[in-house]
Amino acid sequence: MDLTYAEYKSYWINSMKDAIQHANQCIKSLKGVVTAFNTNIDAVKNLREGDVERLLAKLGISLEGETEVEEISEVEHLLRGLLKAIRTGNGFELSISKPEISTWILTNIRADEVRIGGQAGISANVLATLGVERVYVHVASIPRIQAELFKDQGIFIPCKKNDAVLAVPPLEAYNDQHEPMIHWVFEFHEGYTVKLNGSYIQAPKSDRFIASYDPLNSSLYIDPIFREFMRDKAINIDKALISGFQLLKPRYPDGSTFKDKVLRTRRVVEEWKSINPSMWIHLEQAYMTNTEILRFAVEELSKTIDSYGLNEVELDVLVKAMKLTGEVEEVNLIDKLILVSRTLKLKCLVLHTRDFAIALTKGDVDLKCTRRALWFGSMLAATRTLTGCETTMSEVVEMLRERTLPVSLESYKYHMQLSNVLNVDARRALREGFEHQGYNIVLVPALSNPKPVRSVGLGDTFTSGFLVCTPLASPR
């Protein structure tokens, strides 16, 4: 008899307590976690009916046709990117190339909320709220408004005090000479509708579009004080999250290119590993339109890491950038992951989607621990869909108990499909995972919430939960 959805759901609900206990144990054992390199300020605009139409009318444009935009060099590009995100229901980010466009947005759009942004910044707050006692954050620019967005406890910024490099709380590290790095986040809900040229565009899913003007993070700036701090403290860092290369540009005014920025970052991360070979380093991708930059960044940075994370949209972009499928139009999800993992020689590749998360591992990675890590990451992200903010461990437990979210039906369907394709007993695969082409495959469901309070930060929240639970790397 086939595994039923009721059995599948029951298995994962009964596994919640084990995953949370494991996460608690892991958090208590951590000496320190680093999040780098992109931290910024998110100015959030919750789109309401008529907002997009009013902006179009103000500009006096109709936006006929669907033109692909790689960066925002005109205000029109901002709206084209936003409409693409609404039309597809898939969020992504574009860089603003001119300061006057950022000024136009500040003048014409009022933010509903200002909050921490960037994978490094968001993850730092998630980790500190969970109870990680020492989270060291790389911040390219830290005016007071940026410092105030960090959590009060557990977060430390390396800076110079009386000629000594110290890690201090954010409000002791701010510098009002620094310029704020602002990313505009346009949130839309499922069913959000825009009237355009006599027809209607309706969002099939809730998500967000991000427009960022960020000259420091867009050059993958690395604070020399942070680098000096890590030379002394890397030995006491258990885990590190690195991200931010999605903002890179082809060329810079000083004559350097994206290759220079990526290679500099690789040298920094290699330095950490040479000091502490047991540090587990996770690289998180984000949406990118420039496939040349993406390919180079991934090929170089993947040489220094232990795990790599991305979502399904980013996976398709990466496969295209690396030219892995050739003339093949349709490649199934697992084969895409294997192509990426084999090409980059990854130890652990993690895919997170709305409906499930998958880890593809090779070698001595602990599969039981990996399953717990994925499941805890999924629970943590689900809790954020209900609250819109970071949650403590006790709040995770209470929220999931009081407001039961359904285990994704799509994840069950995919589990059954994979079991049939790989000719594996579906019940056994729940406990032991799958094996295919020399890789171990762990699949866990998401907890479904079709109308999250907000969508920004869900991927970073999942990744934070996964990262704290990962097994430590063996020295290479």
Side-chain angles (χ1 to χ4, degrees):
M1 183 179 175
D2 284 342
L3 174 73
T4 65
Y5 171 66
E7 289 177 284
Y8 179 82
K9 179 176 66 173
S10 177
Y11 175 86
W12 288 110
I13 291 173
N14 291 336
S15 299
M16 284 182 172
K17 183 178 179 180
D18 176 61
I20 289 171
Q21 287 177 342
H22 176 71
N24 265 321
Q25 291 169 359
C26 290
I27 289 169
K28 288 175 182 176
S29 71
L30 290 173
K31 292 178 288 185
V33 178
V34 160
T35 63
F37 291 93
N38 58 330
T39 301
N40 58 263
I41 297 164
D42 278 352
V44 183
K45 175 65 177 175
N46 298 311
L47 289 175
R48 299 169 181 83
E49 301 298 332
D51 281 349
V52 177
E53 290 90 337
R54 280 189 286 274
L55 289 173
L56 289 168
K58 183 172 288 189
L59 290 168
I61 56 177
S62 59
L63 295 188
E64 294 183 4
E66 296 180 25
T67 303
E68 283 296 318
V69 177
E70 291 196 355
E71 69 172 6
I72 300 171
S73 55
E74 305 291 341
V75 175
E76 176 184 322
H77 297 160
L78 169 74
L79 291 166
R80 285 196 180 278
L82 176 56
L83 287 170
K84 178 183 176 181
I86 295 170
R87 184 183 293 111
T88 63
N90 291 320
F92 62 97
E93 180 172 1
L94 292 177
S95 294
I96 298 171
S97 62
K98 299 176 182 176
E100 53 266 33
I101 298 172
S102 181
T103 302
W104 186 91
I105 297 174
L106 283 167
T107 304
N108 291 278
I109 299 173
R110 178 177 293 182
D112 295 305
E113 180 187 1
V114 175
R115 62 174 185 245
I116 196 79
Q119 286 117 312
I122 292 171
S123 298
N125 273 358
V126 172
L127 293 167
T129 305
L130 276 177
V132 177
E133 291 186 355
R134 302 194 75 81
V135 183
Y136 302 103
V137 193
H138 178 272
V139 188
S141 179
I142 185 162
R144 187 178 182 94
I145 186 176
Q146 178 75 76
E148 289 173 341
L149 295 174
F150 285 109
K151 295 298 178 182
D152 296 334
Q153 300 291 326
I155 292 181
F156 297 89
I157 313 292
C159 65
K160 253 188 179 167
K161 297 281 187 181
N162 300 320
D163 294 326
V165 176
L166 303 172
V168 300
L171 286 175
E172 295 179 28
Y174 77 88
N175 185 336
D176 275 335
Q177 300 302 309
H178 287 189
E179 180 184 7
M181 302 288 111
I182 299 178
H183 294 208
W184 282 87
V185 182
F186 298 89
E187 294 261 14
F188 54 87
H189 57 78
E190 180 181 332
Y192 181 78
T193 304
V194 177
K195 185 176 182 181
L196 182 67
N197 303 324
S199 60
Y200 291 90
I201 296 172
Q202 188 172 76
K205 295 173 287 189
S206 300
D207 218 309
R208 81 285 183 275
F209 170 68
I210 303 174
S212 55
Y213 179 68
D214 193 340
L216 286 178
N217 287 311
S218 65
S219 65
L220 259 181
Y221 171 80
I222 299 176
D223 182 6
I225 295 173
F226 189 90
R227 190 169 184 180
E228 184 180 346
F229 171 82
M230 285 297 288
R231 286 178 181 137
D232 184 48
K233 297 296 182 183
I235 196 66
N236 293 318
I237 304 298
D238 304 296
K239 313 284 177 70
L241 167 70
I242 60 172
S243 57
F245 60 91
Q246 70 271 18
L247 298 173
L248 284 169
K249 301 177 184 296
R251 299 194 69 85
Y252 294 87
D254 64 0
S256 64
T257 71
F258 66 90
K259 292 184 178 181
D260 299 305
K261 313 301 184 187
V262 170
L263 291 174
R264 177 185 61 192
T265 305
R266 178 185 161 186
R267 288 192 295 271
V268 168
V269 178
E270 285 176 338
E271 190 173 67
W272 300 352
K273 269 288 191 185
S274 69
I275 297 168
N276 182 1
S278 293
M279 186 190 304
W280 184 281
I281 298 178
H282 178 88
L283 173 64
E284 187 69 19
Q285 189 182 317
Y287 182 84
M288 293 180 70
T289 55
N290 189 311
T291 54
E292 182 186 7
I293 296 177
L294 173 59
R295 182 173 61 252
F296 184 81
V298 169
E299 287 176 348
E300 290 299 321
L301 296 176
S302 64
K303 298 172 184 177
T304 68
I305 63 171
D306 297 284
S307 54
Y308 185 103
L310 73 178
N311 66 29
E312 69 273 35
V313 176
E314 294 154 5
L315 174 64
D316 286 338
V317 174
L318 180 59
V319 168
K320 177 183 175 183
M322 297 180 69
K323 301 177 182 177
L324 295 179
T325 56
E327 299 300 317
V328 180
E329 290 293 329
E330 292 294 330
V331 178
N332 69 55
L333 182 62
I334 292 299
D335 285 342
K336 283 182 187 176
L337 293 171
I338 288 175
L339 282 168
V340 170
S341 192
R342 182 175 292 145
T343 303
L344 296 176
K345 299 180 174 61
L346 297 174
K347 184 176 183 178
C348 179
L349 176 60
V350 179
L351 175 77
H352 44 90
T353 78
R354 295 171 186 274
D355 291 301
F356 51 80
I358 296 175
L360 198 73
T361 68
K362 201 173 182 69
D364 60 351
V365 176
D366 185 323
L367 293 182
K368 188 174 183 180
C369 180
T370 302
R371 182 182 292 106
R372 288 164 165 167
L374 291 174
W375 189 215
F376 179 68
S378 292
M379 288 189 286
L380 192 61
T383 308
R384 192 178 181 113
T385 70
L386 296 170
T387 64
C389 60
E390 304 85 2
T391 49
T392 65
M393 192 68 79
S394 60
E395 287 170 337
V396 172
V397 174
E398 183 179 352
M399 189 67 63
L400 293 178
R401 183 191 301 123
E402 290 184 355
R403 298 181 60 180
T404 304
L405 292 174
V407 171
S408 168
L409 178 61
E410 293 303 314
S411 70
Y412 163 73
K413 291 177 181 177
Y414 189 67
H415 180 92
M416 297 304 295
Q417 178 189 335
L418 202 55
S419 300
N420 291 332
V421 169
L422 300 182
N423 194 28
V424 176
D425 179 75
R427 290 183 178 85
R428 180 180 175 183
L430 267 181
R431 301 185 303 273
E432 301 176 13
F434 303 88
E435 289 185 30
H436 187 50
Q437 296 186 28
Y439 287 89
N440 298 306
I441 302 166
V442 180
L443 169 68
V444 309
L447 295 168
S448 298
N449 184 355
K451 292 191 176 181
V453 172
R454 62 169 56 99
S455 59
V456 168
L458 295 181
D460 299 324
T461 301
F462 167 86
T463 298
S464 300
F466 170 80
L467 182 62
V468 295
C469 295
T470 49
L472 294 179
S474 300
R476 298 190 176 187

